[in-house]
Amino acid sequence: MKKFFYLFFFSFLFLSCTKTNVDSKDSISIVTTSFPIYDFTRAIVSDVNNDYIAENNFTNVDIKLLIKPGMETHSFDPSPKDIIDIQNADIFIRMGGESEVWVDKIISTSNKLPKKILTLKDFVETCTSLSEDEHHNHHEHDEHYWTSSKNAIKMINAILQSIIELDNEKSNGKNITTYQENANSYIKMIENLSNEIKNTVDNSENKLLIFGDRFPFTYFTEEYGLNYLAAFDGCSTAVEAKTSKIAELIDEAKNSKAKAIFTIEMSNKKIANTIAQASNAKVLELHSCQNVSKDDFERGITYAYTMKSNLDALKIGL
Ligand SMILES: [Zn+2]
């Protein structure tokens, strides 16, 4: 009995120490389109631990992620249930890139709208991808704005502001301090990792990343002064790379004595393996965080976690 009591007591203590959960009877409902938005919102309402892991259960805040873990972000189609969830949300947060035209359709045709709609693209500096499509000679817009840590921090601040406004309306602002503290510690974490990535790149003579894959990293490479070559010009659902392109990347990898050929998350790695075998390089992954696998989602990996794994990959591969 005594043993049971201690167990109970300590598990209670543990819970109350590790969670800075929100104390409010008025629940907040937040609907997010894609994983980075879900992650930034989660980090504001709960803790991210020193291993860059977060929990997916929150008290009094409901965060829905529409594009489920493991799903392809560039070809999403919302279900009728998704549309109802968006309509009933206190805050609906979207990125605002080209892959989210389905959101505009819902907003323009819906008879009921969420209380607030937040478009994160409006809070960051956007740039046009410099890579040119060889055949059509058009510039492709990279919509993976959050791969720049500076943009990620701007997004976190934008989400924080709208959650604060809502908390003022619903709970007399009693959770604001918690939200601000959580956001600040996550931002600090991201800044530290970003500085480490910057140091790693600055201390390396090689600044070239060769991607045997899709390329969602315009903002990332620009932030750290990296150059890149990629099998595909952008990110959206390309399948077959041109043979001439692969041959070019193999030559470049050999000439530059590349240590690694990079892939992105949830890739079949086929092209990268081909280039790596021909040029005697390793295959390493950079995680764009546009989505995570179901397992990684359940483990609670965060945007910061993917930054840490990218840092580790760059230390080996640059
Ligand atoms: Zn993408």
Side-chain angles (χ1 to χ4, degrees):
M1 182 62 205
K2 209 171 178 184
K3 210 171 177 182
F4 175 78
F5 171 78
Y6 278 119
L7 204 66
F8 178 79
F9 179 74
F10 283 111
S11 54
F12 178 77
L13 199 70
F14 178 73
L15 281 172
S16 58
C17 288
T18 53
K19 297 215 84 185
T20 35
N21 264 324
V22 170
D23 168 32
S24 162
K25 56 183 181 302
D26 309 301
S27 163
I28 294 177
S29 143
I30 303 173
V31 174
T32 63
T33 53
S34 59
F35 180 77
I37 311 176
Y38 173 88
D39 176 76
F40 300 153
T41 309
R42 174 177 61 181
I44 293 168
V45 306
S46 87
D47 285 332
V48 176
N49 75 19
N50 291 332
D51 295 322
Y52 313 109
I53 294 291
E55 289 199 30
N56 289 308
N57 305 308
F58 328 103
T59 313
N60 293 317
V61 181
D62 181 36
I63 312 174
K64 278 201 177 67
L65 172 59
L66 293 179
I67 302 170
K68 294 280 172 289
M71 259 181 158
E72 168 57 53
T73 20
H74 294 282
S75 52
F76 178 74
D77 216 2
S79 70
K81 168 82 166 63
D82 292 335
I83 296 172
I84 292 167
D85 286 342
I86 293 170
Q87 291 176 324
N88 291 331
D90 289 314
I91 313 175
F92 171 50
I93 316 175
R94 61 161 165 178
M95 200 54 79
E98 281 168 43
S99 297
E100 287 185 356
V101 282
W102 57 270
V103 174
D104 299 313
K105 226 166 97 188
I106 293 174
I107 292 172
S108 62
T109 57
S110 217
N111 53 359
K112 184 175 189 288
L113 289 174
K115 285 205 187 88
K116 284 176 207 287
I117 300 171
L118 191 61
T119 305
L120 296 181
K121 187 190 177 183
D122 298 344
F123 295 86
V124 302
E125 278 169 42
T126 59
C127 66
T128 306
S129 167
L130 297 173
S131 68
E132 283 185 1
D133 185 304
E134 280 159 22
H135 284 298
H136 308 289
N137 208 31
H138 71 264
H139 286 84
E140 186 168 6
H141 297 277
D142 187 324
E143 53 183 315
H144 310 77
Y145 319 111
W146 63 89
T147 64
S148 149
S149 70
K150 292 196 179 90
N151 282 350
I153 290 168
K154 285 176 185 161
M155 290 179 184
I156 294 166
N157 280 320
I159 298 169
L160 175 65
Q161 283 319 309
S162 50
I163 294 180
I164 285 176
E165 279 168 31
L166 195 69
D167 196 67
N168 267 326
E169 286 162 24
K170 282 201 157 190
S171 317
N172 293 318
K174 68 175 168 185
N175 305 303
I176 289 176
T177 314
T178 307
Y179 295 144
Q180 280 171 331
E181 283 171 4
N182 288 343
N184 287 342
S185 80
Y186 198 47
I187 287 170
K188 193 84 222 144
M189 200 176 255
I190 289 171
E191 283 174 342
N192 288 341
L193 287 164
S194 182
N195 286 335
E196 283 196 67
I197 293 173
K198 191 176 181 309
N199 289 339
T200 303
V201 174
D202 289 350
N203 292 330
S204 165
E205 260 174 54
N206 176 33
K207 313 279 184 207
L208 175 68
L209 301 180
I210 299 174
F211 277 85
D213 220 318
R214 294 152 69 174
F215 186 76
F217 287 108
T218 310
Y219 289 89
F220 180 87
T221 48
E222 214 156 271
E223 178 162 24
Y224 301 111
L226 287 159
N227 304 315
Y228 67 89
L229 290 167
F232 300 102
D233 293 318
C235 183
S236 40
T237 53
V239 189
E240 291 288 330
K242 286 194 285 289
T243 322
S244 60
K245 188 80 200 174
I246 296 173
E248 185 193 323
L249 294 180
I250 291 172
D251 282 346
E252 193 61 47
K254 283 178 176 168
N255 292 339
S256 64
K257 297 192 170 60
K259 289 184 199 161
I261 306 302
F262 289 90
T263 59
I264 67 169
E265 71 280 1
M266 296 187 274
S267 158
N268 65 18
K269 298 182 170 42
K270 262 166 88 175
I271 299 169
N273 282 333
T274 305
I275 301 168
Q277 269 162 25
S279 61
N280 204 16
K282 293 185 172 50
V283 173
L284 293 174
E285 177 190 291
L286 283 191
H287 202 305
S288 76
C289 201
Q290 67 186 326
N291 204 352
V292 296
S293 69
K294 197 168 175 285
D295 283 352
D296 282 344
F297 183 85
E298 278 157 15
R299 277 169 62 211
I301 81 160
T302 61
Y303 174 82
Y305 185 100
T306 64
M307 284 185 82
K308 174 67 169 74
S309 67
N310 293 345
L311 168 66
D312 294 340
L314 289 175
K315 280 181 179 166
I316 300 166
L318 264 185

